PDB file of all heavy atoms in Angstrom:
ATOM      1  N   SER A  88       7.212   2.737   5.926  1.00  0.00           N
ATOM      2  CA  SER A  88       7.313   2.757   4.467  1.00  0.00           C
ATOM      3  C   SER A  88       7.835   4.100   3.965  1.00  0.00           C
ATOM      4  O   SER A  88       8.554   4.161   2.970  1.00  0.00           O
ATOM      5  CB  SER A  88       5.971   2.403   3.819  1.00  0.00           C
ATOM      6  OG  SER A  88       4.999   3.379   4.088  1.00  0.00           O
ATOM      7  N   PHE A  89       7.513   5.189   4.667  1.00  0.00           N
ATOM      8  CA  PHE A  89       8.037   6.484   4.255  1.00  0.00           C
ATOM      9  C   PHE A  89       9.531   6.604   4.563  1.00  0.00           C
ATOM     10  O   PHE A  89      10.268   7.270   3.850  1.00  0.00           O
ATOM     11  CB  PHE A  89       7.235   7.633   4.867  1.00  0.00           C
ATOM     12  CG  PHE A  89       5.857   7.748   4.256  1.00  0.00           C
ATOM     13  CD1 PHE A  89       4.735   7.403   4.971  1.00  0.00           C
ATOM     14  CD2 PHE A  89       5.702   8.164   2.944  1.00  0.00           C
ATOM     15  CE1 PHE A  89       3.472   7.481   4.400  1.00  0.00           C
ATOM     16  CE2 PHE A  89       4.450   8.246   2.356  1.00  0.00           C
ATOM     17  CZ  PHE A  89       3.322   7.901   3.088  1.00  0.00           C
ATOM     18  N   LYS A  90       9.996   5.930   5.600  1.00  0.00           N
ATOM     19  CA  LYS A  90      11.440   5.889   5.872  1.00  0.00           C
ATOM     20  C   LYS A  90      12.151   5.143   4.742  1.00  0.00           C
ATOM     21  O   LYS A  90      13.217   5.569   4.279  1.00  0.00           O
ATOM     22  CB  LYS A  90      11.728   5.205   7.213  1.00  0.00           C
ATOM     23  CG  LYS A  90      11.434   6.071   8.415  1.00  0.00           C
ATOM     24  CD  LYS A  90      11.854   5.360   9.691  1.00  0.00           C
ATOM     25  CE  LYS A  90      11.603   6.220  10.912  1.00  0.00           C
ATOM     26  NZ  LYS A  90      12.074   5.568  12.149  1.00  0.00           N
ATOM     27  N   ILE A  91      11.581   4.032   4.310  1.00  0.00           N
ATOM     28  CA  ILE A  91      12.178   3.261   3.214  1.00  0.00           C
ATOM     29  C   ILE A  91      12.231   4.119   1.947  1.00  0.00           C
ATOM     30  O   ILE A  91      13.235   4.130   1.235  1.00  0.00           O
ATOM     31  CB  ILE A  91      11.396   1.946   2.979  1.00  0.00           C
ATOM     32  CG1 ILE A  91      11.568   1.014   4.179  1.00  0.00           C
ATOM     33  CG2 ILE A  91      11.861   1.268   1.689  1.00  0.00           C
ATOM     34  CD1 ILE A  91      10.669  -0.208   4.155  1.00  0.00           C
ATOM     35  N   GLU A  92      11.158   4.852   1.684  1.00  0.00           N
ATOM     36  CA  GLU A  92      11.106   5.729   0.519  1.00  0.00           C
ATOM     37  C   GLU A  92      12.253   6.741   0.569  1.00  0.00           C
ATOM     38  O   GLU A  92      12.926   7.000  -0.428  1.00  0.00           O
ATOM     39  CB  GLU A  92       9.763   6.452   0.521  1.00  0.00           C
ATOM     40  CG  GLU A  92       9.457   7.243  -0.710  1.00  0.00           C
ATOM     41  CD  GLU A  92       8.066   7.829  -0.619  1.00  0.00           C
ATOM     42  OE1 GLU A  92       7.098   7.128  -0.966  1.00  0.00           O
ATOM     43  OE2 GLU A  92       7.953   8.997  -0.184  1.00  0.00           O
ATOM     44  N   THR A  93      12.480   7.310   1.738  1.00  0.00           N
ATOM     45  CA  THR A  93      13.556   8.280   1.917  1.00  0.00           C
ATOM     46  C   THR A  93      14.919   7.642   1.656  1.00  0.00           C
ATOM     47  O   THR A  93      15.774   8.235   0.988  1.00  0.00           O
ATOM     48  CB  THR A  93      13.516   8.884   3.337  1.00  0.00           C
ATOM     49  OG1 THR A  93      12.251   9.507   3.525  1.00  0.00           O
ATOM     50  CG2 THR A  93      14.626   9.890   3.548  1.00  0.00           C
ATOM     51  N   LEU A  94      15.127   6.435   2.147  1.00  0.00           N
ATOM     52  CA  LEU A  94      16.401   5.744   1.917  1.00  0.00           C
ATOM     53  C   LEU A  94      16.638   5.518   0.422  1.00  0.00           C
ATOM     54  O   LEU A  94      17.761   5.677  -0.058  1.00  0.00           O
ATOM     55  CB  LEU A  94      16.450   4.430   2.692  1.00  0.00           C
ATOM     56  CG  LEU A  94      16.498   4.564   4.210  1.00  0.00           C
ATOM     57  CD1 LEU A  94      16.380   3.193   4.865  1.00  0.00           C
ATOM     58  CD2 LEU A  94      17.757   5.278   4.668  1.00  0.00           C
ATOM     59  N   ILE A  95      15.576   5.185  -0.302  1.00  0.00           N
ATOM     60  CA  ILE A  95      15.696   4.997  -1.758  1.00  0.00           C
ATOM     61  C   ILE A  95      16.145   6.307  -2.401  1.00  0.00           C
ATOM     62  O   ILE A  95      17.019   6.329  -3.265  1.00  0.00           O
ATOM     63  CB  ILE A  95      14.373   4.494  -2.372  1.00  0.00           C
ATOM     64  CG1 ILE A  95      14.082   3.065  -1.895  1.00  0.00           C
ATOM     65  CG2 ILE A  95      14.414   4.564  -3.897  1.00  0.00           C
ATOM     66  CD1 ILE A  95      12.682   2.569  -2.199  1.00  0.00           C
ATOM     67  N   GLN A  96      15.560   7.436  -1.950  1.00  0.00           N
ATOM     68  CA  GLN A  96      15.907   8.743  -2.505  1.00  0.00           C
ATOM     69  C   GLN A  96      17.367   9.119  -2.230  1.00  0.00           C
ATOM     70  O   GLN A  96      17.934   9.936  -2.943  1.00  0.00           O
ATOM     71  CB  GLN A  96      14.995   9.823  -1.929  1.00  0.00           C
ATOM     72  CG  GLN A  96      13.572   9.738  -2.463  1.00  0.00           C
ATOM     73  CD  GLN A  96      12.695  10.782  -1.815  1.00  0.00           C
ATOM     74  OE1 GLN A  96      12.218  10.594  -0.703  1.00  0.00           O
ATOM     75  NE2 GLN A  96      12.489  11.873  -2.506  1.00  0.00           N
ATOM     76  N   LEU A  97      17.958   8.535  -1.202  1.00  0.00           N
ATOM     77  CA  LEU A  97      19.328   8.869  -0.815  1.00  0.00           C
ATOM     78  C   LEU A  97      20.399   8.045  -1.536  1.00  0.00           C
ATOM     79  O   LEU A  97      21.586   8.266  -1.327  1.00  0.00           O
ATOM     80  CB  LEU A  97      19.500   8.706   0.706  1.00  0.00           C
ATOM     81  CG  LEU A  97      18.727   9.715   1.559  1.00  0.00           C
ATOM     82  CD1 LEU A  97      18.865   9.360   3.031  1.00  0.00           C
ATOM     83  CD2 LEU A  97      19.196  11.133   1.294  1.00  0.00           C
ATOM     84  N   VAL A  98      19.993   7.110  -2.377  1.00  0.00           N
ATOM     85  CA  VAL A  98      20.976   6.288  -3.096  1.00  0.00           C
ATOM     86  C   VAL A  98      21.723   7.185  -4.086  1.00  0.00           C
ATOM     87  O   VAL A  98      21.130   7.760  -4.997  1.00  0.00           O
ATOM     88  CB  VAL A  98      20.309   5.096  -3.819  1.00  0.00           C
ATOM     89  CG1 VAL A  98      21.341   4.344  -4.656  1.00  0.00           C
ATOM     90  CG2 VAL A  98      19.655   4.165  -2.817  1.00  0.00           C
ATOM     91  N   GLN A  99      23.020   7.286  -3.871  1.00  0.00           N
ATOM     92  CA  GLN A  99      23.852   8.168  -4.695  1.00  0.00           C
ATOM     93  C   GLN A  99      23.999   7.630  -6.109  1.00  0.00           C
ATOM     94  O   GLN A  99      24.105   6.425  -6.322  1.00  0.00           O
ATOM     95  CB  GLN A  99      25.226   8.337  -4.053  1.00  0.00           C
ATOM     96  CG  GLN A  99      25.161   9.103  -2.763  1.00  0.00           C
ATOM     97  CD  GLN A  99      26.516   9.197  -2.078  1.00  0.00           C
ATOM     98  OE1 GLN A  99      27.477   8.564  -2.475  1.00  0.00           O
ATOM     99  NE2 GLN A  99      26.567  10.002  -1.036  1.00  0.00           N
ATOM    100  N   GLY A 100      23.975   8.555  -7.070  1.00  0.00           N
ATOM    101  CA  GLY A 100      24.163   8.183  -8.461  1.00  0.00           C
ATOM    102  C   GLY A 100      22.890   7.739  -9.155  1.00  0.00           C
ATOM    103  O   GLY A 100      22.928   7.372 -10.328  1.00  0.00           O
ATOM    104  N   CYS A 101      21.767   7.757  -8.451  1.00  0.00           N
ATOM    105  CA  CYS A 101      20.484   7.345  -9.031  1.00  0.00           C
ATOM    106  C   CYS A 101      19.454   8.448  -8.845  1.00  0.00           C
ATOM    107  O   CYS A 101      19.434   9.119  -7.817  1.00  0.00           O
ATOM    108  CB  CYS A 101      19.948   6.086  -8.354  1.00  0.00           C
ATOM    109  SG  CYS A 101      20.968   4.640  -8.565  1.00  0.00           S
ATOM    110  N   GLN A 102      18.606   8.589  -9.832  1.00  0.00           N
ATOM    111  CA  GLN A 102      17.461   9.479  -9.695  1.00  0.00           C
ATOM    112  C   GLN A 102      16.323   8.694  -9.068  1.00  0.00           C
ATOM    113  O   GLN A 102      16.295   7.457  -9.152  1.00  0.00           O
ATOM    114  CB  GLN A 102      16.989   9.976 -11.055  1.00  0.00           C
ATOM    115  CG  GLN A 102      17.950  10.835 -11.810  1.00  0.00           C
ATOM    116  CD  GLN A 102      17.378  11.182 -13.180  1.00  0.00           C
ATOM    117  OE1 GLN A 102      16.179  11.144 -13.416  1.00  0.00           O
ATOM    118  NE2 GLN A 102      18.271  11.515 -14.107  1.00  0.00           N
ATOM    119  N   THR A 103      15.373   9.404  -8.477  1.00  0.00           N
ATOM    120  CA  THR A 103      14.165   8.762  -7.970  1.00  0.00           C
ATOM    121  C   THR A 103      12.967   9.466  -8.584  1.00  0.00           C
ATOM    122  O   THR A 103      12.906  10.696  -8.580  1.00  0.00           O
ATOM    123  CB  THR A 103      14.069   8.853  -6.432  1.00  0.00           C
ATOM    124  OG1 THR A 103      15.235   8.269  -5.862  1.00  0.00           O
ATOM    125  CG2 THR A 103      12.849   8.105  -5.913  1.00  0.00           C
ATOM    126  N   ARG A 104      12.075   8.690  -9.134  1.00  0.00           N
ATOM    127  CA  ARG A 104      10.819   9.222  -9.683  1.00  0.00           C
ATOM    128  C   ARG A 104       9.674   8.541  -8.948  1.00  0.00           C
ATOM    129  O   ARG A 104       9.785   7.382  -8.544  1.00  0.00           O
ATOM    130  CB  ARG A 104      10.707   8.939 -11.174  1.00  0.00           C
ATOM    131  CG  ARG A 104      11.748   9.673 -11.975  1.00  0.00           C
ATOM    132  CD  ARG A 104      11.483   9.540 -13.447  1.00  0.00           C
ATOM    133  NE  ARG A 104      12.603  10.131 -14.193  1.00  0.00           N
ATOM    134  CZ  ARG A 104      12.892   9.828 -15.432  1.00  0.00           C
ATOM    135  NH1 ARG A 104      12.155   8.951 -16.087  1.00  0.00           N
ATOM    136  NH2 ARG A 104      13.903  10.392 -16.036  1.00  0.00           N
ATOM    137  N   PHE A 105       8.594   9.281  -8.812  1.00  0.00           N
ATOM    138  CA  PHE A 105       7.420   8.734  -8.142  1.00  0.00           C
ATOM    139  C   PHE A 105       6.316   8.516  -9.157  1.00  0.00           C
ATOM    140  O   PHE A 105       6.113   9.322 -10.056  1.00  0.00           O
ATOM    141  CB  PHE A 105       6.972   9.663  -7.017  1.00  0.00           C
ATOM    142  CG  PHE A 105       7.967   9.698  -5.900  1.00  0.00           C
ATOM    143  CD1 PHE A 105       8.986  10.638  -5.884  1.00  0.00           C
ATOM    144  CD2 PHE A 105       7.925   8.743  -4.900  1.00  0.00           C
ATOM    145  CE1 PHE A 105       9.934  10.640  -4.880  1.00  0.00           C
ATOM    146  CE2 PHE A 105       8.876   8.734  -3.897  1.00  0.00           C
ATOM    147  CZ  PHE A 105       9.879   9.684  -3.880  1.00  0.00           C
ATOM    148  N   VAL A 106       5.629   7.390  -9.003  1.00  0.00           N
ATOM    149  CA  VAL A 106       4.581   6.991  -9.936  1.00  0.00           C
ATOM    150  C   VAL A 106       3.255   6.952  -9.192  1.00  0.00           C
ATOM    151  O   VAL A 106       3.122   6.254  -8.184  1.00  0.00           O
ATOM    152  CB  VAL A 106       4.899   5.605 -10.537  1.00  0.00           C
ATOM    153  CG1 VAL A 106       3.840   5.201 -11.521  1.00  0.00           C
ATOM    154  CG2 VAL A 106       6.276   5.599 -11.178  1.00  0.00           C
ATOM    155  N   ASN A 107       2.308   7.693  -9.711  1.00  0.00           N
ATOM    156  CA  ASN A 107       0.973   7.749  -9.138  1.00  0.00           C
ATOM    157  C   ASN A 107       0.230   6.440  -9.438  1.00  0.00           C
ATOM    158  O   ASN A 107       0.230   5.982 -10.578  1.00  0.00           O
ATOM    159  CB  ASN A 107       0.242   8.948  -9.766  1.00  0.00           C
ATOM    160  CG  ASN A 107      -1.157   9.112  -9.278  1.00  0.00           C
ATOM    161  OD1 ASN A 107      -1.973   8.216  -9.413  1.00  0.00           O
ATOM    162  ND2 ASN A 107      -1.430  10.273  -8.725  1.00  0.00           N
ATOM    163  N   PRO A 108      -0.414   5.839  -8.431  1.00  0.00           N
ATOM    164  CA  PRO A 108      -1.116   4.570  -8.651  1.00  0.00           C
ATOM    165  C   PRO A 108      -2.205   4.640  -9.726  1.00  0.00           C
ATOM    166  O   PRO A 108      -2.415   3.671 -10.457  1.00  0.00           O
ATOM    167  CB  PRO A 108      -1.731   4.242  -7.294  1.00  0.00           C
ATOM    168  CG  PRO A 108      -0.930   5.015  -6.312  1.00  0.00           C
ATOM    169  CD  PRO A 108      -0.446   6.236  -7.026  1.00  0.00           C
ATOM    170  N   VAL A 109      -2.880   5.781  -9.847  1.00  0.00           N
ATOM    171  CA  VAL A 109      -3.925   5.927 -10.868  1.00  0.00           C
ATOM    172  C   VAL A 109      -3.293   5.923 -12.258  1.00  0.00           C
ATOM    173  O   VAL A 109      -3.775   5.242 -13.172  1.00  0.00           O
ATOM    174  CB  VAL A 109      -4.755   7.214 -10.632  1.00  0.00           C
ATOM    175  CG1 VAL A 109      -5.754   7.432 -11.755  1.00  0.00           C
ATOM    176  CG2 VAL A 109      -5.473   7.147  -9.289  1.00  0.00           C
ATOM    177  N   ALA A 110      -2.193   6.663 -12.424  1.00  0.00           N
ATOM    178  CA  ALA A 110      -1.476   6.673 -13.706  1.00  0.00           C
ATOM    179  C   ALA A 110      -0.967   5.278 -14.034  1.00  0.00           C
ATOM    180  O   ALA A 110      -1.010   4.838 -15.189  1.00  0.00           O
ATOM    181  CB  ALA A 110      -0.321   7.674 -13.654  1.00  0.00           C
ATOM    182  N   LEU A 111      -0.516   4.563 -13.024  1.00  0.00           N
ATOM    183  CA  LEU A 111      -0.009   3.204 -13.198  1.00  0.00           C
ATOM    184  C   LEU A 111      -1.112   2.268 -13.692  1.00  0.00           C
ATOM    185  O   LEU A 111      -0.905   1.459 -14.594  1.00  0.00           O
ATOM    186  CB  LEU A 111       0.543   2.709 -11.868  1.00  0.00           C
ATOM    187  CG  LEU A 111       1.666   1.701 -11.888  1.00  0.00           C
ATOM    188  CD1 LEU A 111       2.843   2.203 -12.685  1.00  0.00           C
ATOM    189  CD2 LEU A 111       2.081   1.377 -10.473  1.00  0.00           C
ATOM    190  N   SER A 112      -2.284   2.420 -13.114  1.00  0.00           N
ATOM    191  CA  SER A 112      -3.440   1.600 -13.506  1.00  0.00           C
ATOM    192  C   SER A 112      -3.827   1.862 -14.964  1.00  0.00           C
ATOM    193  O   SER A 112      -4.051   0.926 -15.735  1.00  0.00           O
ATOM    194  CB  SER A 112      -4.608   1.899 -12.569  1.00  0.00           C
ATOM    195  OG  SER A 112      -5.724   1.159 -12.954  1.00  0.00           O
ATOM    196  N   HIS A 113      -3.869   3.136 -15.359  1.00  0.00           N
ATOM    197  CA  HIS A 113      -4.185   3.483 -16.754  1.00  0.00           C
ATOM    198  C   HIS A 113      -3.114   2.938 -17.697  1.00  0.00           C
ATOM    199  O   HIS A 113      -3.437   2.403 -18.764  1.00  0.00           O
ATOM    200  CB  HIS A 113      -4.299   5.000 -16.923  1.00  0.00           C
ATOM    201  CG  HIS A 113      -5.526   5.584 -16.306  1.00  0.00           C
ATOM    202  ND1 HIS A 113      -6.804   5.204 -16.643  1.00  0.00           N
ATOM    203  CD2 HIS A 113      -5.659   6.529 -15.349  1.00  0.00           C
ATOM    204  CE1 HIS A 113      -7.678   5.877 -15.930  1.00  0.00           C
ATOM    205  NE2 HIS A 113      -7.003   6.694 -15.122  1.00  0.00           N
ATOM    206  N   PHE A 114      -1.857   3.075 -17.299  1.00  0.00           N
ATOM    207  CA  PHE A 114      -0.747   2.574 -18.100  1.00  0.00           C
ATOM    208  C   PHE A 114      -0.871   1.063 -18.303  1.00  0.00           C
ATOM    209  O   PHE A 114      -0.706   0.558 -19.414  1.00  0.00           O
ATOM    210  CB  PHE A 114       0.581   2.926 -17.415  1.00  0.00           C
ATOM    211  CG  PHE A 114       1.791   2.342 -18.077  1.00  0.00           C
ATOM    212  CD1 PHE A 114       2.291   2.887 -19.259  1.00  0.00           C
ATOM    213  CD2 PHE A 114       2.449   1.254 -17.520  1.00  0.00           C
ATOM    214  CE1 PHE A 114       3.415   2.360 -19.865  1.00  0.00           C
ATOM    215  CE2 PHE A 114       3.575   0.714 -18.126  1.00  0.00           C
ATOM    216  CZ  PHE A 114       4.058   1.268 -19.307  1.00  0.00           C
ATOM    217  N   ALA A 115      -1.187   0.337 -17.223  1.00  0.00           N
ATOM    218  CA  ALA A 115      -1.311  -1.122 -17.294  1.00  0.00           C
ATOM    219  C   ALA A 115      -2.412  -1.535 -18.263  1.00  0.00           C
ATOM    220  O   ALA A 115      -2.250  -2.472 -19.044  1.00  0.00           O
ATOM    221  CB  ALA A 115      -1.567  -1.705 -15.914  1.00  0.00           C
ATOM    222  N   LYS A 116      -3.535  -0.811 -18.232  1.00  0.00           N
ATOM    223  CA  LYS A 116      -4.674  -1.149 -19.097  1.00  0.00           C
ATOM    224  C   LYS A 116      -4.406  -0.827 -20.565  1.00  0.00           C
ATOM    225  O   LYS A 116      -4.801  -1.579 -21.451  1.00  0.00           O
ATOM    226  CB  LYS A 116      -5.923  -0.399 -18.635  1.00  0.00           C
ATOM    227  CG  LYS A 116      -6.494  -0.928 -17.355  1.00  0.00           C
ATOM    228  CD  LYS A 116      -7.688  -0.109 -16.909  1.00  0.00           C
ATOM    229  CE  LYS A 116      -8.141  -0.553 -15.530  1.00  0.00           C
ATOM    230  NZ  LYS A 116      -9.062   0.388 -14.921  1.00  0.00           N
ATOM    231  N   LYS A 117      -3.747   0.306 -20.814  1.00  0.00           N
ATOM    232  CA  LYS A 117      -3.590   0.768 -22.193  1.00  0.00           C
ATOM    233  C   LYS A 117      -2.289   0.339 -22.868  1.00  0.00           C
ATOM    234  O   LYS A 117      -2.247   0.153 -24.077  1.00  0.00           O
ATOM    235  CB  LYS A 117      -3.672   2.297 -22.238  1.00  0.00           C
ATOM    236  CG  LYS A 117      -5.042   2.838 -21.873  1.00  0.00           C
ATOM    237  CD  LYS A 117      -5.059   4.342 -22.031  1.00  0.00           C
ATOM    238  CE  LYS A 117      -6.253   5.018 -21.475  1.00  0.00           C
ATOM    239  NZ  LYS A 117      -7.499   4.888 -22.054  1.00  0.00           N
ATOM    240  N   GLU A 118      -1.217   0.195 -22.091  1.00  0.00           N
ATOM    241  CA  GLU A 118       0.103   0.004 -22.692  1.00  0.00           C
ATOM    242  C   GLU A 118       0.720  -1.381 -22.500  1.00  0.00           C
ATOM    243  O   GLU A 118       1.609  -1.757 -23.242  1.00  0.00           O
ATOM    244  CB  GLU A 118       1.091   1.040 -22.130  1.00  0.00           C
ATOM    245  CG  GLU A 118       0.658   2.484 -22.295  1.00  0.00           C
ATOM    246  CD  GLU A 118       0.621   2.938 -23.735  1.00  0.00           C
ATOM    247  OE1 GLU A 118       1.405   2.413 -24.554  1.00  0.00           O
ATOM    248  OE2 GLU A 118      -0.198   3.814 -24.048  1.00  0.00           O
ATOM    249  N   VAL A 119       0.298  -2.115 -21.479  1.00  0.00           N
ATOM    250  CA  VAL A 119       0.935  -3.394 -21.179  1.00  0.00           C
ATOM    251  C   VAL A 119       0.096  -4.531 -21.774  1.00  0.00           C
ATOM    252  O   VAL A 119      -0.991  -4.815 -21.294  1.00  0.00           O
ATOM    253  CB  VAL A 119       1.120  -3.594 -19.657  1.00  0.00           C
ATOM    254  CG1 VAL A 119       1.783  -4.935 -19.370  1.00  0.00           C
ATOM    255  CG2 VAL A 119       1.940  -2.455 -19.071  1.00  0.00           C
ATOM    256  N   GLU A 120       0.625  -5.122 -22.827  1.00  0.00           N
ATOM    257  CA  GLU A 120      -0.086  -6.207 -23.495  1.00  0.00           C
ATOM    258  C   GLU A 120       0.101  -7.530 -22.762  1.00  0.00           C
ATOM    259  O   GLU A 120      -0.809  -8.339 -22.687  1.00  0.00           O
ATOM    260  CB  GLU A 120       0.359  -6.309 -24.948  1.00  0.00           C
ATOM    261  CG  GLU A 120      -0.050  -5.096 -25.762  1.00  0.00           C
ATOM    262  CD  GLU A 120       0.544  -5.097 -27.153  1.00  0.00           C
ATOM    263  OE1 GLU A 120       0.956  -6.164 -27.647  1.00  0.00           O
ATOM    264  OE2 GLU A 120       0.589  -4.010 -27.744  1.00  0.00           O
ATOM    265  N   GLU A 121       1.308  -7.729 -22.260  1.00  0.00           N
ATOM    266  CA  GLU A 121       1.569  -8.944 -21.495  1.00  0.00           C
ATOM    267  C   GLU A 121       2.695  -8.700 -20.507  1.00  0.00           C
ATOM    268  O   GLU A 121       3.536  -7.833 -20.705  1.00  0.00           O
ATOM    269  CB  GLU A 121       1.896 -10.127 -22.403  1.00  0.00           C
ATOM    270  CG  GLU A 121       3.122  -9.932 -23.264  1.00  0.00           C
ATOM    271  CD  GLU A 121       3.348 -11.093 -24.215  1.00  0.00           C
ATOM    272  OE1 GLU A 121       2.381 -11.663 -24.734  1.00  0.00           O
ATOM    273  OE2 GLU A 121       4.529 -11.432 -24.419  1.00  0.00           O
TER     274      GLU A 121
END
Side-chain angles (χ1 to χ4, degrees):
S88 65
F89 289 109
K90 284 185 179 183
I91 293 171
E92 189 176 275
T93 301
L94 292 173
I95 292 168
Q96 288 177 279
L97 292 174
V98 175
Q99 292 176 351
C101 296
Q102 295 176 22
T103 303
R104 294 189 187 158
F105 292 91
V106 181
N107 179 302
V109 175
L111 209 56
S112 178
H113 288 302
F114 174 76
K116 288 177 187 166
K117 294 184 191 290
E118 304 293 331
V119 180
E120 294 172 20
E121 61 184 37

